Amino acid sequence: MICVALPALAISSEHGQMTGQGLEGFYRSGRRVLSRCQVRVAGREPLAVQGRMTSADRARFVGTLRASPHSGPDPDVVVERIRHADGTERITLHSAARRPLRVPLEVALGTDLADLGAIASGTAGPELPASVHGSGLRWSCATGNSSVTADPPPADALASAGLLRWEFVLPPGGSTSVELRIRLDGAGPVRAVSRTATSPLAAARAAGDDPRVQPLLRTSVEDLQALLLRDPEHPSDIHLAAGAPWRCGPAPAEALAAARMTLPLGTRLAAGTLRFLARTQLRGVGPQSGMIPGPRRDAGIHLPPGCTGTEATLLFPSLLAEARRWGLPEAETEELLPTAERCLAWLRTTVGDGTYLCDPHPGGPVRCETQAHAHRAALLGADLLDACGRPGGTELRHWAQALRAAFRQDFWIDDRGGGRPAAARAPDGTPVPHLGAAAAHLLDTGLLGGGEPAPGLLDKVQTEQLARLLGGLGMDSGWGLRGLGAKEAGYNPFGHRSGAVRVHETAIAVAGLATAGYEKEAGSLLRGALAAAESFGHRLPEMYAGEQRTDGSAPLPHPAACRPAATAAASGVLLLVTLAGVRPDAPAGTVTLRPMHSAPLGEIVLRGLQIAGAPFSVRVSRLGLAMVEEAADGLQLGV
């Protein structure tokens, strides 16, 4: 269980005790401030009866015990622990005894002040010795100090054992509490972005026939808020961390992808993300000029690692163009336009006289997924340049048209089953034939004016075949889209990109299939992702095992997955908004609705979305008919 309010985390198992094992502990900026926090009442650990997240940054743990010798089988003391990611924990003892109870309370504390990376690799080192400090304990090492203070102060503080003790007398039906405050010296109190009035995400709500839509949207928004970060040098620019606990810093491609999926919650997150990444853009001369840098990323067993900088560079103009359609103010669009132009110039320069966008590393493959990102960036970028009166749109469209013609020929592999898109082409032109979730990006063409999607790289017949493949048993696990088909060589249900279900790609597939009119396949993947979300307490991890769903089964967690994760939480928003098919064109003052006519979840109502900076609410009936319930003044319904 992970409580998140970046830059702070609190991690424990469901019983609530922090034992110092594994990743357990309170963290601040990647350092474990406290690793052990074990509660004993009357010399015994309470029997854990429940542990649950009450919000993204808060958890509640309940335990019981019998303190009276003649109380029978029923517990007479309830121990409640309310834990906050910001480094506070309130321990409350409730008595149900008929007589006053003398209840000793002990809290055993310890820490190694280790970095998260050292903990993950098993090189954290032993616990540090404690010293008594004010109303609690303190630990010190060469890289920093941490302390725990208690209110009320303990009756005894034993540094050698790392122990705080209290003696309480509880009247019949009475309660008492102790609050612990865990701090890293030199760091002020955590003031998470989500807990301020400046959160860039609208507090959208969902309701409907399916009771799971309400907690999915609520939890998705809470998780996104918990992962928000500020640029220290530009505090108004807010963006998303990739996920907790492993990736609490910015990851350009994931931040842009998540911001794009959350445009229905407003454009402020997109604007902050774009401004933050614009300052990282490479300048000067050379083949990387204009790129948004990013790390290499595993691509599975069939392909070498890919460059997330390429993906981020292509996502930048796409996000800016779509954010403008959702209502990003013109002044902010103009401010960010030069960066988008440099991204598009990098694309055209890198392609040169060729047709495809190759890997930036010599000898790398020509990836199917990269061509999808590049094609979308070219068309949406051309639309953006034209709208802003800038040159270059015609050239980008001509290249995109040539790419479509070549791609449909070079990347399509004919076979007895109707064919499939190649995952990539090797440097010698040989197709890499495996079928994976990356093919879903071929369906994600982006939003143009008038609520129309951009044309895709595949023709109608190829799109229909891809829809059939993605909806088949090899790819649809029943919990979402597998990263690699179950019948493909090297399939591993736990493989990062060779079989595990990645929520982001599942959401992209659902949205793309619905837009293309393949609602049966989209509905199956949507229902599977919703069932998985319910199994995970509506907090979707970035990935989970791709084992086939059976009656009574549950999706298997992936041990390396972030949870919460920015793209997974944002996917919850995209999945639900796809049901209504909301396609705005704020500059034109219109919004088009293309709901899923099959209404796979029955009636659904989405309230508190944002278009053009104003609330937007929509209802989709059981017949798949959409009706606007609230919108900005002057926003007209398109056709």
Side-chain angles (χ1 to χ4, degrees):
M1 297 182 68
I2 305 178
C3 303
V4 186
L6 293 182
L9 302 171
I11 304 174
S12 75
S13 63
E14 291 185 353
H15 59 62
Q17 298 278 46
M18 289 183 174
T19 64
Q21 302 297 312
L23 291 174
E24 293 181 2
F26 283 93
Y27 292 81
R28 178 74 182 270
S29 300
R31 182 175 295 278
R32 183 154 64 180
V33 184
L34 190 73
S35 59
R36 191 161 51 88
C37 184
Q38 295 172 282
V39 171
R40 290 190 292 270
V41 178
R44 288 172 289 152
E45 288 196 10
L47 175 67
V49 296
Q50 187 185 73
R52 59 185 293 267
M53 302 294 300
T54 58
S55 66
D57 66 343
R58 189 180 300 115
R60 178 177 184 258
F61 305 94
V62 177
T64 63
L65 54 84
R66 288 184 296 153
S68 301
H70 307 296
S71 63
D74 299 330
D76 53 8
V77 174
V78 175
V79 182
E80 179 188 54
R81 302 171 70 170
I82 305 295
R83 178 171 298 153
H84 297 255
D86 65 3
T88 60
E89 179 160 335
R90 177 171 286 271
I91 304 165
T92 303
L93 308 180
H94 303 274
S95 172
R98 291 177 292 176
R99 299 184 179 89
L101 285 180
R102 177 180 171 277
V103 184
L105 171 65
E106 295 181 344
V107 180
L109 305 166
T111 190
D112 48 20
L113 284 174
D115 289 329
L116 179 59
I119 298 164
S121 63
T123 59
E127 282 190 358
L128 299 168
S131 61
V132 176
H133 178 73
S135 60
L137 299 174
R138 188 169 187 263
W139 297 265
S140 299
C141 70
T143 55
N145 312 296
S146 69
S147 62
V148 174
T149 57
D151 183 21
D156 295 297
L158 304 178
S160 59
L163 198 65
L164 304 182
R165 288 177 175 170
W166 293 261
E167 291 281 346
F168 295 115
V169 176
L170 299 180
S175 301
T176 190
S177 296
V178 169
E179 184 169 278
L180 304 177
R181 297 183 183 89
I182 300 97
R183 294 287 182 263
L184 182 67
D185 285 9
V190 174
R191 192 167 182 262
V193 177
S194 60
R195 292 298 176 187
T196 70
T198 59
S199 175
L201 300 170
R205 306 175 307 283
D209 290 340
D210 193 316
R212 298 172 295 183
V213 301
Q214 187 269 340
L216 175 61
L217 185 57
R218 185 194 69 242
T219 305
S220 294
V221 174
E222 287 180 354
D223 284 349
L224 288 165
Q225 289 178 328
L227 292 170
L228 293 173
L229 294 173
R230 291 185 187 277
D231 184 339
E233 297 181 3
H234 300 82
S236 62
D237 292 347
I238 297 170
H239 56 282
L240 286 164
W246 310 110
R247 305 172 69 202
C248 293
E254 283 85 346
L256 289 164
R260 183 173 176 237
M261 291 189 286
T262 57
L263 284 172
L265 304 181
T267 61
R268 289 181 58 203
L269 176 60
T273 303
L274 290 167
R275 284 194 296 267
F276 169 71
L277 291 176
R279 291 189 286 272
T280 72
Q281 188 176 43
L282 301 177
R283 306 292 183 89
V285 295
Q288 292 186 322
S289 178
M291 285 194 73
I292 306 293
R296 303 265 284 169
R297 180 172 60 199
D298 177 63
I301 64 170
H302 294 286
L303 293 170
C307 175
T308 62
T310 297
E311 184 178 341
T313 306
L314 299 171
L315 276 171
F316 192 101
S318 298
L319 175 58
L320 180 59
E322 290 187 314
R324 180 176 173 272
R325 296 290 176 194
W326 281 90
L328 183 69
E330 290 297 328
E332 295 187 59
T333 302
E334 289 287 342
E335 174 193 356
L336 292 161
L337 190 57
T339 305
E341 288 180 300
R342 286 189 288 270
C343 291
L344 295 170
W346 170 85
L347 168 61
R348 291 299 297 123
T349 301
T350 305
V351 171
D353 296 330
T355 303
Y356 299 115
L357 180 61
C358 302
D359 260 23
H361 302 280
V366 179
R367 301 173 196 262
C368 166
E369 180 181 358
T370 300
Q371 309 319 304
H373 291 314
H375 183 255
R376 182 179 61 234
L379 292 179
L380 271 61
D383 187 57
L384 177 67
L385 294 176
D386 289 352
C388 296
R390 301 293 184 95
T394 301
E395 182 185 4
L396 286 166
R397 287 192 187 89
H398 286 163
W399 172 75
Q401 184 177 10
L403 175 63
R404 283 196 298 276
F407 187 93
R408 293 170 182 180
Q409 180 68 34
D410 296 342
F411 270 80
W412 192 258
I413 303 172
D414 290 314
D415 57 31
R416 294 180 180 178
R420 61 170 61 186
R425 295 181 75 209
D428 63 359
T430 304
V432 181
H434 71 271
L435 179 66
H441 291 280
L442 292 170
L443 301 169
D444 177 22
T445 60
L447 182 66
L448 295 175
E452 291 299 318
L457 280 173
L458 300 179
D459 62 27
K460 182 174 176 57
V461 173
Q462 292 170 339
T463 301
E464 182 176 358
Q465 173 64 3
L466 178 59
R468 188 185 70 81
L469 292 171
L470 296 183
L473 289 176
M475 290 298 296
D476 185 353
S477 70
W479 303 113
L481 193 69
R482 292 185 176 95
L484 182 67
K487 297 180 180 179
E488 303 293 325
Y491 166 72
N492 173 4
F494 282 95
H496 272 65
R497 302 202 175 253
S498 55
V501 173
R502 301 189 71 86
V503 178
H504 175 205
E505 288 170 332
T506 297
I508 289 294
V510 170
L513 288 165
T515 299
Y518 300 99
E519 293 194 5
K520 177 183 176 182
E521 293 82 1
S524 176
L525 289 171
L526 170 66
R527 287 188 291 268
L530 204 64
E534 183 179 29
S535 179
F536 286 111
H538 305 286
R539 170 182 265 187
L540 280 164
E542 64 174 325
M543 61 182 168
Y544 43 88
E547 282 198 337
Q548 189 64 40
R549 181 180 179 183
T550 59
D551 289 342
S553 67
L556 296 174
H558 194 292
C562 286
R563 180 171 174 262
T567 53
S571 294
V573 178
L574 178 60
L575 287 169
L576 297 181
V577 173
T578 294
L579 290 165
V582 182
R583 301 181 188 174
D585 189 349
T590 65
V591 60
T592 303
L593 301 179
R594 294 287 187 269
M596 292 181 67
H597 297 301
S598 57
L601 303 182
E603 183 178 72
I604 183 171
V605 183
L606 300 173
R607 296 188 175 94
L609 305 178
Q610 280 204 350
I611 298 178
F616 182 83
S617 300
V618 60
R619 179 187 298 270
V620 180
S621 73
R622 297 181 185 93
L623 298 176
L625 302 175
M627 178 179 68
V628 174
E629 294 192 339
E630 182 182 21
D633 292 340
L635 190 66
Q636 301 295 315
L637 189 62
V639 293

